[in-house]
């Protein structure tokens, strides 16, 4: 249940901290009857979603193009208007300013965008060397021109750029769409390591069912405009679509 | 020396030059012939009409009629600003964010110049007030239209960049800082160029008019310098107010980029 008042939110956040200490399951993101309103109330492809994502979890969402996966991520990231409620670490979204919320809810779009010529200009603090090397970069990549990077390189750097905020949940919109298999595996490993070391979580839109099998703790599929859980014990876990 | 009077035949002769340009535009398929002809027709009709209005206004220097004339000028300038943008802000905001900066900057500076610097008697003497306001409004209108058009078009074109910054938790001011700077530069370049080139490349229109009417050159020059400084200030203030207001309006209370607040391009 999402708290209705700021006071309740703080109480739940405090309780959440206690439960981390005693090792219980901690909810990072909780959305309730949540839907994008980017296009107003007409033509909403995905009906309202209620979902809890817990610490340490990687949750995937699959579904055909245009079914509303990206709109859902954008709405959770508070880049588009939405209806319903959203809470992070037990605190209602209204308790955060827009920028504060987006620093904690890191959204990485399918196509990364860059606003300055030099890669380094896009990082508030340089990413750790280990993270750079995990994705196949050396430290001098920060001095390179964005225009000289391949799409795949930009995509990997966009992930690192987002991790610089130490988000509590990372929303990944097909982050490996333009990567080769080896780099895809490296990126998956980096995300896994980040989730484990920061006790955070990931909501990952992916089309590749093998990837889903590798990374997902829980999986959902959009069918008929509704988000359905996929049971790991069912053959559908691997074979659907 | 008085003014050499012009007949309507003289004006028709000048109009044939515009027609020649229109013919050239057709031959080269520039696609601006219609706009050119309409603009030329509007110049003739509007100026002749305003000539009649000024004739009446000058004969009866009433504060009421001058204020009414000034408000009509602001309304028309606002409409022009709105019409010159490809993706203006929709509804009342689009109109308000053009009208308010134009009104505030040009009226304030015109009153300042009339009361403090020129000081005619009465201070709202239409021979001074109306041309002064007209020049300030004309230039401010162009600057605001250029600045707002650049701002809103860039926001549409660079949406992904803006949203990438928002997604990283940048506040809207930071996400828009480059666009606001670009828009302000685009708005102010014409007036900066005009000041830089004044007297060297071209003789400004007002000064030329005064000299043609027999004013001693040094008096005409002093008025021209005054007017150019006032124009620079009025355009700068109007454009910066309009750009910062419109930039804020592109974001909602959660600092989300709201391009749905722009009117669909025609």
């Amino acid at each position: 249940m999402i708290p209705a008042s700021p006071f309740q939110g703080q109480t739940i956040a405090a309780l959440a901290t206690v439960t981390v200490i005693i090792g219980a399951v901690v909810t990072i993101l909780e959305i309730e009857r949540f839907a994008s309103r980017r296009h107003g109330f007409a033509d909403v492809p995905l009906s309202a979603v209620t979902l809890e994502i817990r610490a340490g979890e990687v949750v995937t969402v699959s579904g055909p193009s245009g079914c509303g996966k990206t709109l859902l991520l954008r709405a959770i990231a508070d880049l588009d208007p939405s209806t319903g409620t959203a809470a992070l670490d037990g605190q209602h979204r209204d308790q955060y300013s827009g920028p504060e919320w987006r620093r904690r809810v890191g959204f990485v779009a399918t196509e990364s965008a860059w606003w300055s010529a030099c890669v380094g200009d896009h990082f508030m603090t340089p990413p750790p060397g280990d993270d750079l090397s995990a994705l196949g970069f050396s430290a001098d990549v920060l001095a390179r021109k964005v225009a000289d990077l391949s799409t795949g390189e930009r995509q990997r750097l966009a992930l690192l750029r987002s991790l610089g905020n130490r988000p509590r949940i990372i929303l990944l919109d097909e982050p490996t769409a333009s990567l080769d298999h080896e780099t895809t595996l490296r990126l998956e490993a980096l995300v896994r390591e980040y989730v484990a070391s920061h006790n955070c979580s990931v909501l990952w839109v992916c089309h590749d069912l093998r990837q889903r099998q590798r990374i997902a703790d829980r999986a959902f599929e959009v069918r008929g405009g509704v988000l359905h859980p996929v049971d790991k014990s069912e053959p559908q876990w691997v074979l659907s679509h | 020396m008085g003014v050499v009077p012009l007949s309507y035949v003289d004006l028709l002769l000048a109009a044939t030059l515009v027609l020649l340009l229109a013919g050239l535009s057709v031959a080269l398929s520039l696609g601006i012939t219609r706009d050119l002809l309409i603009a030329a027709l509007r110049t003739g009709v509007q100026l002749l009409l305003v000539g009649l209005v000024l004739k009446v206004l000058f004969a009866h220097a009433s504060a009421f009629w001058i204020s009414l004339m000034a408000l009509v000028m602001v309304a028309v300038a606002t409409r022009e600003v709105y019409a010159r943008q490809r993706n203006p802000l929709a509804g009342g905001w689009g109109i308000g964010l053009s009208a308010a900066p134009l009104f505030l900057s040009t009226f304030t500076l015109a009153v300042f110049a009339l009361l403090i610097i020129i000081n005619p008697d009465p201070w709202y003497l239409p021979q001074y007030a109306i041309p002064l306001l007209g020049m300030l409004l004309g230039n401010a209108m162009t600057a605001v239209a250029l600045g707002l058009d650049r701002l809103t078009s860039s926001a549409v074109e660079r949406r992904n960049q803006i949203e990438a910054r928002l997604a990283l938790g940048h506040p809207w001011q930071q996400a828009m800082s480059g666009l606001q700077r670009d828009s302000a530069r685009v708005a102010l370049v014409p007036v900066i160029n005009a000041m830089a080139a004044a007297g060297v490349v071209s003789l400004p229109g007002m000064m030329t008019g005064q000299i043609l009417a027999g004013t001693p050159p040094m008096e005409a020059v002093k008025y021209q310098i005054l007017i150019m400084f006032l124009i620079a200030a009025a355009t700068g203030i109007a454009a910066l107010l309009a750009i910062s207001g419109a930039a804020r309006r592109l974001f909602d209370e959660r600092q989300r980029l709201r391009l749905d607040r722009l009117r669909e391009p025609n």
Side-chain angles (χ1 to χ4, degrees):
Chain A
M1 184 68 191
I2 292 173
S5 73
F7 179 74
Q8 274 181 303
Q10 283 161 6
T11 312
I12 289 178
L15 286 173
T17 312
V18 171
T19 45
V20 169
I21 294 166
I22 61 173
V25 173
V26 176
T27 298
I28 300 273
L29 178 80
E30 189 176 5
I31 55 175
E32 208 171 289
R33 298 184 306 280
F34 190 82
S36 169
R37 285 289 173 264
R38 181 176 180 183
H39 304 298
F41 285 82
D43 301 327
V44 180
L46 181 59
S47 53
V49 170
T50 295
L51 183 66
E52 265 187 54
I53 300 179
R54 297 182 282 270
E57 262 192 328
V58 174
V59 176
T60 61
V61 177
S62 313
S65 295
C67 71
K69 306 182 297 291
T70 299
L71 282 179
L72 177 66
L73 293 199
R74 286 179 54 91
I76 294 173
D78 206 11
L79 288 170
D80 289 331
S82 54
T83 55
T85 51
L88 186 72
D89 288 327
Q91 293 204 49
H92 196 280
R93 187 167 75 182
D94 292 348
Q95 291 175 264
Y96 301 92
S97 71
E100 279 169 354
W101 175 268
R102 290 186 280 268
R103 276 194 286 275
R104 289 170 171 82
V105 179
F107 172 65
V108 181
T110 309
E111 285 178 31
S112 63
W114 304 81
W115 56 88
S116 184
C118 181
V119 173
D121 295 345
H122 299 84
F123 289 83
M124 294 284 282
T125 51
D130 289 352
D131 287 359
L132 282 171
S133 57
L135 291 181
F137 293 111
S138 57
D140 65 3
V141 72
L142 299 176
R144 288 175 65 188
K145 299 281 178 208
V146 174
D148 296 337
L149 300 175
S150 70
T151 310
E153 286 174 321
R154 289 182 202 186
Q155 198 56 35
R156 285 179 277 156
L157 286 167
L159 173 67
L160 291 181
R161 191 172 70 179
S162 186
L163 295 184
N165 283 332
R166 298 282 171 255
R168 295 291 294 135
I169 180 164
I170 315 161
L171 311 176
L172 299 174
D173 193 1
E174 299 187 57
T176 56
S178 45
L179 303 185
D180 59 40
H181 184 64
E182 188 193 340
T183 318
T184 296
L185 295 179
R186 288 170 122 181
L187 186 137
E188 288 170 7
L190 178 77
V191 171
R192 265 286 173 212
E193 192 189 315
Y194 181 85
V195 168
S197 60
H198 292 82
N199 200 35
C200 64
S201 51
V202 174
L203 183 57
W204 187 317
V205 167
C206 81
H207 271 158
D208 181 349
L209 296 179
R210 287 191 199 84
Q211 181 174 60
R212 182 171 83 177
Q213 200 178 11
R214 285 195 301 270
I215 58 165
D217 297 306
R218 281 190 296 149
F220 290 85
E221 280 180 4
V222 182
R223 290 194 300 269
V226 178
L227 197 66
H228 294 281
V230 182
D231 191 335
K232 264 186 168 178
S233 62
E234 291 175 14
Q236 192 188 24
W237 176 254
V238 186
L239 301 174
S240 60
H241 292 282
Chain B
M1 188 186 82
V3 183
V4 178
L6 292 177
S7 70
Y8 287 103
V9 178
D10 299 329
L11 296 184
L12 283 174
L13 267 175
T16 54
L17 298 173
V18 179
L19 287 175
L20 278 175
L21 181 63
L24 206 58
S25 157
V26 171
L28 296 173
S29 307
L30 297 182
I32 54 160
T33 316
R34 189 168 170 271
D35 289 348
L36 176 70
L37 290 176
I38 289 175
L41 193 67
R42 280 184 62 170
T43 301
V45 173
Q46 288 166 192
L47 287 180
L48 287 172
L49 281 177
V50 89
L52 292 174
V53 171
L54 289 179
K55 194 174 164 185
V56 176
L57 210 58
F58 288 2
H60 312 89
S62 134
F64 172 77
W65 288 111
I66 293 166
S67 306
L68 189 68
M69 173 81 181
L71 287 176
V72 170
M73 288 162 73
V74 170
V76 175
T78 302
R79 194 208 153 276
E80 282 296 313
V81 167
Y82 199 72
R84 286 186 201 180
Q85 296 172 67
R86 285 164 287 179
N87 318 82
L89 281 164
W93 283 99
I95 293 164
L97 283 170
S98 304
L102 284 177
F103 179 83
L104 285 173
S105 72
T106 57
F107 273 61
T108 309
L109 284 170
V111 169
F112 164 77
L114 289 167
L115 278 175
I116 311 290
I117 303 176
I118 307 171
N119 207 12
D121 185 28
W123 67 270
Y124 52 82
L125 194 66
Q127 283 88 335
Y128 287 86
I130 297 297
L132 180 65
L133 187 64
M135 279 186 284
L136 297 187
L137 259 180
N139 286 279
M141 175 185 82
T142 305
V144 169
L146 286 173
L148 287 181
D149 185 50
R150 171 58 74 98
L151 183 83
T152 51
S153 302
S154 302
V156 172
E157 284 160 19
R158 292 158 68 175
R159 172 195 190 136
N160 290 345
Q161 290 177 14
I162 299 167
E163 288 196 329
R165 301 189 77 166
L166 294 178
L168 288 168
H170 293 186
W172 74 269
Q173 296 94 331
Q174 207 177 335
M176 286 293 281
S177 62
L179 274 72
Q180 288 199 72
R181 267 199 307 274
D182 281 354
S183 307
R185 204 172 291 131
V186 165
L188 294 183
V189 158
V191 75
I192 292 170
N193 286 347
M195 283 200 292
V200 184
V201 182
S202 65
L203 287 184
M206 190 200 78
M207 190 178 103
T208 310
Q210 278 190 305
I211 292 171
L212 285 175
T215 306
M218 284 314 289
E219 282 308 308
V221 162
K222 279 192 272 181
Y223 264 94
Q224 188 63 52
I225 292 171
L226 169 71
I227 291 295
M228 293 203 84
F229 288 170
L230 290 174
I231 285 174
T235 52
I237 293 167
L240 295 179
L241 281 175
I243 289 166
S244 56
R248 180 69 191 91
R249 178 63 192 158
L250 285 173
F251 295 84
D252 63 16
E253 74 290 349
R254 301 283 307 164
Q255 302 197 26
R256 295 176 285 228
L257 179 64
R258 298 296 300 272
L259 295 181
D260 56 325
R261 291 179 174 177
L262 298 177
R263 197 187 64 187
E264 292 289 319
N266 294 324

